[in-house]
Amino acid sequence: MADRFTAFTVTDVRFPTSRELDGSDAMNADPDYSAAYVQVATSAGDAGYGFVFTIGRGTEVAVAAIRAVEPLVVGLDVEATLADLGEFWKRLVHESHLRWLGPEKGVMHMAIGAVVNAVWDLAAKRAGQPLWQLLADLTPQQIVDLIDFRYLSDALTPDEARQLLEAAAPGKEVRRKELREHGYPAYTTSAGWLGYSDAKVARLVGEALADGFTHVKLKVGADIDDDVRRCAMVRELVGPDGLISVDANQRWDVAEAIENVARLAPSGLYWVEEPTSPDDVLGHGAIAQAIAPIKVATGENVANRVIFKQLLASHAIQVAQIDACRVAGVNENIAILLLAAKFGVPVCPHAGGVGLCEIVQHLSMFDFVALSGTTQGRWIEYVDHLHEHFVDPVRVQGGRYLAPRQPGSSAELRPTSVAEYRFPEGSTWQAPSLTLLKEES
């Protein structure tokens, strides 16, 4: 009997990070890092795991969206699906009724991404490889076959994508060895959440420097006078050679962003992240032109590969920030990596959230080994929250991500954590001190 996909298990998992203001920024003052977590099981008894990252209220909407994808997957032949994951991606993304809810953006697109990522997790586990290695071992043609080039071919054709991959092939084994021995550079946001006091920021910056980080990011956007003061404080702490980037989390209008970055510039900024709406390609371009040589970075809330195409082709951003759980999974993120390579823009993934560090490290490592061939001007974001809840948590030493060794995408949560933080039934959410948080959610 053929091995087939069986029913999904979808769980609303929420962590009360708002208690300590972990993750706080100018647009999201009190997030509870959360996940609509899906297990895609097979009749053979194994499973793949994925999730939609959220910040609390609304996770139930993402759960419902994942449930809407379930009928498109249950009953499919597993081996046939894993043999053509490009076609599987199209099956889900192009389904006309669900596509209408985007198209190709928003909660439905993210839910499809969670399922796509879960099936990639399964593929890597069956191959006995971490996801980054499975992807890096694919031939250029196999990688090209994963991509939907509809809406991209005016900027990147399949032939161009293949040529980029073929050009990187000769050094793959050397880079694979380098990655395993030395890891991948990281920067940290853990010291710079907006809700933290100056004293806490100063202490955490000191700890980050001691841990080997040379690049720190601060949240800005609530009060420019506070931002100026805090950036100056951190510059004093990191010294003249440390890198400081800032993240406004979409808080500013275009002219406001230009004015505020000018006030922050004396602290020596490397990039300004999400200075305005993630959908505003023209606005990003105007800001980039006005604030150069400070770079403009965005991507964690960019809805799909088509918006990325516009940002990259128009030179509106100088740093592309993919997110493992915003677009429709591994396939679409590889398309974005290829676009970034075509336009020579470094990719520095977003990972500020539960589980995002775990998954996105695989994409950057694939990019290094099989596509870009460099880590120059590239870092993966690191936040030191909630890794203990994962079966295969990230390992960061000396300011560098160590290459995952276990098979899969590192997305699987510990069953005890799922039981404890399941919303609203989990024991954490039954605690009297969290009654108000639960009611507000």
Side-chain angles (χ1 to χ4, degrees):
M1 181 178 294
D3 179 19
R4 299 194 180 277
F5 288 106
T6 58
F8 290 5
T9 301
V10 192
T11 312
D12 183 335
V13 181
R14 307 189 193 186
F15 299 92
T17 51
S18 61
R19 289 187 297 180
E20 302 297 329
L21 297 180
D22 298 336
S24 54
D25 60 54
M27 193 65 77
N28 309 291
D30 55 352
D32 285 323
Y33 279 175
S34 305
Y37 179 62
V38 59
Q39 172 186 328
V40 178
T42 77
S43 58
D46 54 358
Y49 297 85
F51 54 84
V52 175
F53 168 65
T54 69
I55 62 167
R57 285 183 294 278
T59 308
E60 69 279 5
V61 178
V63 168
I66 292 172
R67 283 291 184 199
V69 181
E70 186 175 15
L72 301 179
V73 179
V74 170
L76 292 180
D77 183 284
V78 176
E79 289 304 319
T81 299
L82 299 185
D84 193 353
L85 284 169
E87 184 59 34
F88 177 70
W89 189 91
K90 292 176 184 177
R91 173 185 176 86
L92 303 190
V93 174
H94 292 178
E95 203 285 323
S96 62
H97 292 202
L98 299 182
R99 186 179 185 278
W100 185 264
L101 300 178
E104 298 185 37
K105 64 177 72 70
V107 175
M108 199 69 250
H109 204 53
M110 295 166 72
I112 288 170
V115 175
V116 168
N117 284 346
V119 174
W120 273 106
D121 180 56
L122 174 68
K125 286 176 176 173
R126 287 199 171 187
Q129 294 179 309
L131 177 61
W132 69 265
Q133 184 172 325
L134 174 66
L135 294 172
D137 284 347
L138 296 177
T139 68
Q141 186 59 55
Q142 287 174 318
I143 294 170
V144 169
D145 288 343
L146 297 173
I147 308 306
D148 183 0
F149 285 89
R150 182 189 293 182
Y151 312 134
L152 300 185
S153 59
D154 57 321
L156 178 72
T157 67
D159 284 344
E160 288 176 317
R162 189 182 306 106
Q163 289 166 14
L164 289 167
L165 292 157
E166 289 172 349
K172 282 175 66 172
E173 291 310 311
V174 172
R175 294 191 296 273
R176 192 194 310 267
K177 182 174 184 291
E178 180 182 341
L179 178 65
R180 287 174 171 153
E181 292 179 353
H182 303 292
Y184 196 102
Y187 77 88
T188 182
T189 305
S190 297
W193 300 120
L194 197 63
Y196 288 176
S197 67
D198 284 1
K200 185 170 185 178
V201 170
R203 174 176 61 81
L204 293 175
V205 167
E207 292 175 2
L209 295 173
D211 288 339
F213 290 97
T214 59
H215 187 173
V216 299
K217 189 173 77 181
L218 305 178
K219 297 292 185 173
V220 297
D223 183 290
I224 187 59
D225 292 327
D226 283 344
D227 297 338
V228 170
R229 177 183 47 75
R230 183 170 281 192
C231 284
M233 178 188 77
V234 173
R235 171 53 67 197
E236 184 70 22
L237 292 167
V238 304
D241 298 327
L243 296 180
I244 299 175
S245 292
V246 297
D247 184 356
N249 288 96
Q250 316 160 38
R251 187 63 182 265
W252 298 325
D253 203 350
V254 173
E256 184 182 15
I258 294 168
E259 178 181 348
N260 287 344
V261 173
R263 290 192 60 187
L264 297 171
S267 291
L269 305 185
Y270 188 75
W271 77 56
V272 56
E273 182 173 332
E274 285 201 316
T276 194
S277 166
D279 299 331
D280 189 353
V281 177
L282 295 177
H284 277 87
I287 294 166
Q289 186 174 14
I291 71 171
I294 298 171
K295 304 175 190 297
V296 171
T298 203
E300 70 182 84
N301 287 294
V302 171
N304 53 48
R305 67 202 186 284
V306 182
I307 301 296
F308 267 108
K309 177 190 74 171
Q310 296 170 67
L311 289 164
L312 292 163
S314 65
H315 310 291
I317 57 173
Q318 292 72 56
V319 179
Q321 296 177 305
I322 59 172
D323 184 287
C325 299
R326 173 64 61 176
V327 300
V330 169
N331 303 54
E332 191 165 18
N333 267 314
I334 292 176
I336 296 163
L337 289 169
L338 284 161
L339 283 165
K342 162 72 181 290
F343 291 102
V345 175
V347 177
C348 299
H350 169 247
V354 60
L356 297 183
C357 295
E358 273 70 19
I359 302 180
V360 84
Q361 64 180 331
H362 292 273
L363 299 174
S364 279
M365 292 176 185
F366 155 75
D367 177 61
F368 170 58
V369 173
L371 181 54
S372 70
T374 183
T375 59
Q376 185 174 359
R378 297 162 187 263
W379 302 264
I380 305 171
E381 184 175 22
Y382 177 69
V383 297
D384 60 357
H385 312 302
L386 307 174
H387 302 296
E388 67 275 15
H389 299 292
F390 286 83
V391 172
D392 182 23
V394 296
R395 298 175 300 138
V396 173
Q397 293 181 9
R400 301 178 74 90
Y401 277 80
L402 303 184
R405 299 172 182 170
Q406 293 188 29
S409 69
S410 311
E412 184 177 353
L413 283 164
R414 296 182 180 277
T416 52
S417 294
V418 174
E420 183 176 352
Y421 292 95
R422 180 186 182 113
F423 186 86
E425 304 92 345
S427 58
T428 288
W429 292 104
Q430 296 300 315
S433 63
L434 292 178
T435 299
L436 180 60
L437 279 175
K438 184 172 68 173
E439 289 175 353
E440 290 180 346
S441 295

